[in-house]
Amino acid sequence: RALFAAALNSRDVDSSSAIAGDDWEYLDFGHIEKDLAAKLSDEDIKGVLLSIDAVNNLRSLWLTNCIHITGAGLDPLRGSRIIQQIDLSLVGDHESSKLDPEPPISCAEVLPILDSIIERGEECSLEYLQLPKYWRRERNTESDFHAF
């Protein structure tokens, strides 16, 4: 956790150890060590999002290598009007989207948060959304999200 805190405090955009750019608009967990990102919990993600006031600041979120989250930690994004990109694939660029075992990220946890962002209509800034591969194989009947 100390390394994670150090990575958060390193806000130099050109640094490969930084996970966020200036003004906390961009957050990519792929810029920290893979083993560290894999250990992050929903509470860790929630704490980061709350500490940067993500609902009002964050435009791009990439949960690269955060393979042990359910998605409950994304709650601080609920109702965001400024988030433009969300990547929930949990894999980095040019990596296989097949994860074994399948991660615990849950439609039941994440879809209500996404619904609260999308239901903003004209105020919704979301332009890019990447879902986990196994979500794309199965339809979820608990939400109208797949109709979108």
Side-chain angles (χ1 to χ4, degrees), residues 5-148:
L8 277 177
N9 290 328
S10 175
R11 296 180 69 184
D12 178 5
V13 176
D14 296 325
S15 171
S16 63
S17 65
I19 64 169
D22 290 337
D23 300 320
W24 300 107
E25 291 182 354
Y26 180 78
L27 186 59
D28 183 352
F29 289 93
H31 290 159
I32 62 173
E33 291 181 31
K34 189 173 186 173
D35 291 344
L36 180 59
K39 292 177 184 174
L40 295 176
S41 69
D42 283 289
E43 285 301 312
D44 296 325
I45 301 296
K46 183 177 183 176
V48 169
L49 294 177
L50 287 171
S51 71
I52 65 172
D53 189 21
V55 73
N56 295 309
N57 293 312
L58 192 63
R59 296 187 188 280
S60 183
L61 175 65
W62 301 76
L63 293 172
T64 310
N65 301 319
C66 296
I67 58 172
H68 288 107
I69 63 167
T70 65
L74 300 176
D75 196 63
L77 287 175
R78 190 175 293 276
S80 174
R81 292 183 173 115
I82 67 164
I83 190 88
Q84 296 172 347
Q85 300 177 327
I86 301 174
D87 189 318
L88 303 172
S89 68
L90 310 180
V91 296
D93 291 338
H94 313 294
E95 291 183 356
S96 172
S97 58
K98 295 179 183 175
L99 296 172
D100 187 29
E102 287 183 350
I105 193 163
S106 162
C107 287
E109 296 286 355
V110 175
L111 293 183
I113 297 164
L114 294 176
D115 283 338
S116 75
I117 294 168
I118 293 168
E119 73 185 9
R120 296 271 177 210
E122 294 289 323
E123 295 177 343
C124 176
S125 297
L126 192 63
E127 298 171 354
Y128 173 86
L129 176 63
Q130 181 71 43
L131 300 173
K133 182 170 179 130
Y134 73 97
W135 284 14
R136 292 176 267 156
R137 288 191 313 247
E138 300 176 17
R139 285 185 129 335
N140 183 309
T141 58
E142 298 174 16
S143 170
D144 292 333
F145 188 78
H146 283 91
F148 162 67

